[in-house]
Amino acid sequence: MLSLSARIRTDIERRIVSGEWQAGHRIPFEHELTAQYACSRMTVNKALSALASTGLIVRRRKAGSFVAPQPGEQALMEIQDFAEEAARRGLPYHHQILRRQVEKLDTLRARAWNLKRACTVLHVECLHFIDAIPMAYEDRIIVIPMAPGVLDETFAQTPPGTWLLRSVPWTEAEHVLYARSADAALAALLAIPEAAACLVLERRTWYLGKMVTDVRISYPGERHRLVGRFSRTANAT
Amino acid sequence: MLSLSARIRTDIERRIVSGEWQAGHRIPFEHELTAQYACSRMTVNKALSALASTGLIVRRRKAGSFVAPQPGEQALMEIQDFAEEAARRGLPYHHQILRRQVEKLDTLRARAWNLKRACTVLHVECLHFIDAIPMAYEDRIIVIPMAPGVLDETFAQTPPGTWLLRSVPWTEAEHVLYARSADAALAALLAIPEAAACLVLERRTWYLGKMVTDVRISYPGERHRLVGRFSRTANAT
DNA sequence: TAGTGGTCTAGACCACCGC
DNA sequence: CGGTGGTCTAGACCACTAG
């Protein structure tokens, strides 16, 4: 049993994550929702304030409330976009697609990718360069039905991670971080000595409980650091 | 200019992080705060609800509102307590203090520890064992004035990270993660081959803008993984 | 300037739960 | 049982800002 304000909030949330209301879409005014749900303005305000505090919407006096432009990742989630990172540092970025093919995963191989069932996926490998130096090797599968349009995308212009962030909604994610020594193949790709230490980030993303993508990104240990910031001060009002 | 409900919230927040109100302390009832701040109950309720949603307090009908037992870390912050991790996995834990000495850091050495000024600190090195296998090497400095009582603590019973978590409040933290190859000394301590890949976590913690502690924890890459989970669904009501 | 969100009031009813 | 928090109402005044 949800409270009315919680129901209003989840109703709006669902429309946003489903893509029905895209970034920039204007949410009904408080007085409209008041009429729609037959409740007082305070109840609506509580729902919208909660959404604003999570960053899902932004509110402007006189203008209204709008779906926030960025799906708004948090902390360590932000590290994904290499092009953006390079731009911040004023360095040129490019990427290179090493593989892009549809694969049928049998049960065994599916399990290796943390999928429960056999499945048809798009398998992509990609190298990321910042200032012409290889900064990361990305090995990724994308569950095709979860990413409509992915088969029309070559990733020539936009690397797969960036494309997915822009095109596919997600609700849950998991990161796993560990260090390993580069094998010969990885060392060659990243132009580092064999057995050099690498930082490996595995990221799995779901939408409403269904796997969207599973990616393993390997960074040369000496060239990359992941940074996360935390604050315990509440971020309201 | 803070709103009244925000002021009530930060007033209570400050008493909690300062230690004036310890875990389990009962916060004044809503009607008491209503009288104290000469405002309506809704205003007080908004402040307390916000604190409850961040996990800083817990609220129980008929009983009242209480400072939450755990200071409530988030996501990757939780990885710090080895004893707890070992207990979850049903394995024995112990630690070994390799160094514990007061040091005067000159400006140069202070900068190496990310401190801006010369400073007197407690320097601690510690090895963590799970199931008798070395799981991490910890190299830490503690800014003595920020951790009252630290000079009376030998860390024989409680490792420094756990002691700090329990004894010293913090408001901001930063994590930096990277991979490196173990040098001879680290390899010997962790009982791994020289040049094996290690995951290094640097964590800096501040209280109201002043550095509390700076720690570098090195994990054998093959023996440890850091996991973080994220969800975009709001976690209220 | 008019309309929006930001905040607050002084009530109200209810569910829950410790006594 | 009585007191607490959970939620909601039907107003109100104000600050901000887009048009």
Side-chain angles (χ1 to χ4, degrees), chain A:
Chain A
M1 189 52 198
L2 276 92
S3 70
L4 179 54
S5 67
R7 200 154 59 78
I8 297 173
R9 181 163 50 73
T10 55
D11 282 354
I12 294 171
E13 224 168 38
R14 189 153 36 228
R15 295 197 184 199
I16 294 174
V17 298
S18 75
E20 182 182 346
W21 287 350
Q22 302 280 342
H25 181 277
R26 211 209 74 225
I27 284 162
F29 296 126
E30 290 191 353
H31 67 81
E32 292 175 322
L33 291 169
T34 289
Q36 183 179 329
Y37 286 93
C39 65
S40 79
R41 202 188 130 215
M42 273 294 286
T43 305
V44 168
N45 181 277
K46 189 178 175 186
L48 295 186
S49 298
L51 288 170
S53 79
T54 69
L56 204 61
I57 70 173
V58 290
R59 315 196 70 192
R60 285 188 323 225
R61 288 179 164 95
K62 168 72 180 177
S65 304
F66 302 83
V67 177
Q70 288 271 34
E73 317 217 0
Q74 306 199 350
L76 272 174
M77 299 304 282
E78 304 190 37
I79 56 180
Q80 185 108 5
D81 202 295
F82 295 95
E84 197 178 320
E85 180 193 334
R88 269 202 302 272
R89 295 163 57 185
L91 297 171
Y93 166 84
H94 76 279
H95 72 283
Q96 180 185 349
I97 300 292
L98 305 177
R99 175 206 296 259
R100 183 195 170 284
Q101 64 187 40
V102 176
E103 294 181 6
K104 266 194 143 55
L105 299 185
D106 57 35
T107 309
L108 191 67
R109 286 175 50 77
R111 204 173 308 151
W113 280 103
N114 299 288
L115 281 162
K116 285 184 185 136
R117 283 186 295 278
C119 186
T120 302
V121 300
L122 187 63
H123 186 177
V124 182
E125 289 177 71
C126 180
L127 265 179
H128 299 267
F129 297 83
I130 291 183
D131 205 17
I133 298 170
M135 288 303 293
Y137 162 71
E138 169 181 346
D139 190 13
R140 179 191 294 271
I141 60 162
I142 303 165
V143 178
I144 293 171
M146 300 301 291
V150 72
L151 292 180
D152 301 325
E153 175 61 46
T154 63
F155 303 123
Q157 298 301 316
T158 310
T162 305
W163 184 87
L164 283 165
L165 269 181
R166 288 186 194 154
S167 311
V168 178
W170 57 273
T171 52
E172 300 95 40
E174 181 190 75
H175 277 178
V176 178
L177 281 157
Y178 56 94
R180 63 174 271 232
S181 295
D183 57 25
L186 183 60
L189 286 168
L190 293 176
I192 55 176
E194 197 169 332
C198 287
L199 182 63
V200 184
L201 166 64
E202 292 181 358
R203 174 183 172 172
R204 284 180 276 287
T205 310
W206 294 266
Y207 177 63
L208 302 177
K210 294 197 278 191
M211 165 98 49
V212 174
T213 187
D214 185 337
V215 62
R216 183 184 302 115
I217 303 177
S218 303
Y219 306 85
E222 314 296 327
R223 292 192 206 137
H224 210 277
R225 290 166 167 243
L226 303 185
V227 179
R229 269 169 244 279
F230 305 84
S231 177
R232 293 175 73 181
T233 60
N235 57 342
T237 318

Side-chain angles (χ1 to χ4, degrees), chain B residues 11 23 31 36 42 47 53 86 88 93 101 103 120 127 136 172 175 181 186 195 197 207 212 214-215:
Chain B
D11 282 353
H31 68 81
Q36 183 178 330
M42 274 294 287
S53 79
R88 269 201 303 271
Y93 166 84
Q101 63 187 42
E103 295 180 6
T120 301
L127 264 180
E172 300 96 40
H175 277 178
S181 296
L186 183 59
Y207 177 63
V212 174
D214 186 338
V215 62

Side-chain angles (χ1 to χ4, degrees), chain B residues 90-116:
Chain B
L91 297 171
Y93 166 84
H94 75 278
H95 72 283
Q96 180 184 349
I97 301 292
L98 305 177
R99 176 205 295 256
R100 182 193 171 285
Q101 63 187 42
V102 175
E103 295 180 6
K104 267 194 142 57
L105 298 185
D106 57 36
T107 310
L108 192 67
R109 286 175 50 78
R111 204 174 307 150
W113 279 103
N114 300 288
L115 280 162
K116 285 183 184 138

